[in-house]
């Protein structure tokens, strides 16, 4: 079995999606002292520019480019990828971090939000991984970090499409890691538990109920710790990173439980909410 080429974050050149807030902004902050170039992608230009100014003030030699892109829009995505390829950008780290959720049942969801979630959480991840692979290979050793979720380890009623989309990311990432290993590109899937970011505010529907937070206290990790563990796992090309012992344990339990028992537990939890 070939092992992936060693990699150093020093001097790396990273494209981060969803860099305007939460984990994405934290990835930029933790990479800034080590990286030589960052491409920051999201929709909210003022937040991206603010982050660029903040990082540039302490790291004046760091090249930072702000790329405003709605990753739910297939045309905007294509233009982003083609633009980076035409300019032969020297990216050697791709962090597919942008993502969204929707709290509530499928039956009561707005189709436009479900569709946007599939575009962002799955299609954008695949399109950027595929479209930027030639750049990553050209600048190998290189790394891809896919931001999945602990939710990808189990079916989750009232969070069904989100959990399924993150299960997709996990499966895609594991297979891609094996495909890319011999080509000098390490692939890691980060599977965090609940983390304090803007995620919940965006996932909650207007006048909708909050998600079921029983047990979240055991799983929660600060964003800075999640990102530090993710970057270390990515550097080592670990196929999967579960930040925190409780997150790791729960993901293992979900995989090992007989499916009939898992269904019974999920049904009980759903009905007792
Ligand atoms: N927080 C958690 O509890 C948790 C747990 C497990 C996994 N995750 C995953 O972690 C990742 C980061 O989320 P977060 O927790 O940091 O949440 P967040 O603070 O809401 O950040 C989401 C990021 O995605 C960007 N984004 C959303 N829609 C976009 C679009 N259409 N086009 C381009 N960018 C878009 C947002 O930027 P703009 O709005 O400026 O576009 C923002 O920068 C997601 O993949 C999420 O699923 C989060």
């Amino acid at each position: 079995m070939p092992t992936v080429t060693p990699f150093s974050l020093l001097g790396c050149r990273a494209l981060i999606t969803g860099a305007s807030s939460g984990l994405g902004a934290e990835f930029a902050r933790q990479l800034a002292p080590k990286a030589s170039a960052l491409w920051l992608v999201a929709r909210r230009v003022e937040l991206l520019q603010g982050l660029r100014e903040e990082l540039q003030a302490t790291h004046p030699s760091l090249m930072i480019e702000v790329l405003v892109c709605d990753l739910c829009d297939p045309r905007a995505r294509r233009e982003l990828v083609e633009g980076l390829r035409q300019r032969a950008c020297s990216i050697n780290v791709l962090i597919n971090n942008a993502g969204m959720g929707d709290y509530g049942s499928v039956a009561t969801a707005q189709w436009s939000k479900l569709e946007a979630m599939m575009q962002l959480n799955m299609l954008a991840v695949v399109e950027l991984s595929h479209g930027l692979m030639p750049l990553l290979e050209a600048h190998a050793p290189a790394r891809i970090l896919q931001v999945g979720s602990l939710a990808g380890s189990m079916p989750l009623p009232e969070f069904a499409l989100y959990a399924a989309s993150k299960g997709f990311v996990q499966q895609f990432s594991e297979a891609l890691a094996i495909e890319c290993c011999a080509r000098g590109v390490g692939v890691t899937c980060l599977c965090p538990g609940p983390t304090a970011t803007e995620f919940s505010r965006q996932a909650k529907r207007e006048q909708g109920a909050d998600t079921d937070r029983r047990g979240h206290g055991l799983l929660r990790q600060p964003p800075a710790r999640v990102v530090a563990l993710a970057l270390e796992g990515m550097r080592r090309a670990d196929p999967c990173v579960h930040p925190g012992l409780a997150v790791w344990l729960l993901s293992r339990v979900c995989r090992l439980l007989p499916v009939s028992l898992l269904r019974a537990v999920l049904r009980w939890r759903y009905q007792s909410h």
Side-chain angles (χ1 to χ4, degrees), residues 17-25 41-45 47-48 69-73 96-101 103 116 120-121 147-151 162 166 190-200 202:
T17 70
S20 60
S21 67
L23 295 177
V41 183
R43 293 166 303 178
R44 288 171 294 174
V45 63
L47 291 183
L48 292 176
C69 178
D70 181 353
L71 291 169
C72 290
D73 177 354
N96 271 319
N97 164 75
M100 61 179 284
Y103 296 154
L120 184 65
N121 294 8
V147 180
S149 171
L150 173 63
Y162 178 77
K166 293 300 185 177
L190 168 68
C191 301
T195 314
T197 63
E198 291 183 9
F199 181 85
S200 287
Q202 175 283 325

Side-chain angles (χ1 to χ4, degrees), residues 14 16 19-41 46-66:
I16 306 166
S20 60
S21 67
L23 295 177
E26 185 61 30
F27 276 117
R29 290 193 177 100
Q30 290 195 23
L31 281 174
K34 298 177 183 145
S36 63
L38 295 178
W39 290 265
L40 307 178
V41 183
E46 61 300 336
L47 291 183
L48 292 176
Q49 282 170 347
L51 181 61
R52 178 172 61 183
E53 280 164 28
E54 173 197 322
L55 299 179
Q56 211 83 80
T58 38
H59 309 285
S61 62
L62 176 63
M63 192 296 292
I64 306 179
E65 187 176 356
V66 161

Side-chain angles (χ1 to χ4, degrees), residues 78-98:
R78 205 169 315 123
E79 282 172 9
L80 173 74
V81 169
E82 278 171 10
L84 291 162
R85 285 174 60 148
Q86 273 164 15
R87 293 193 286 137
C89 290
S90 57
I91 297 166
N92 69 349
V93 174
L94 166 63
I95 302 184
N96 271 319
N97 164 75

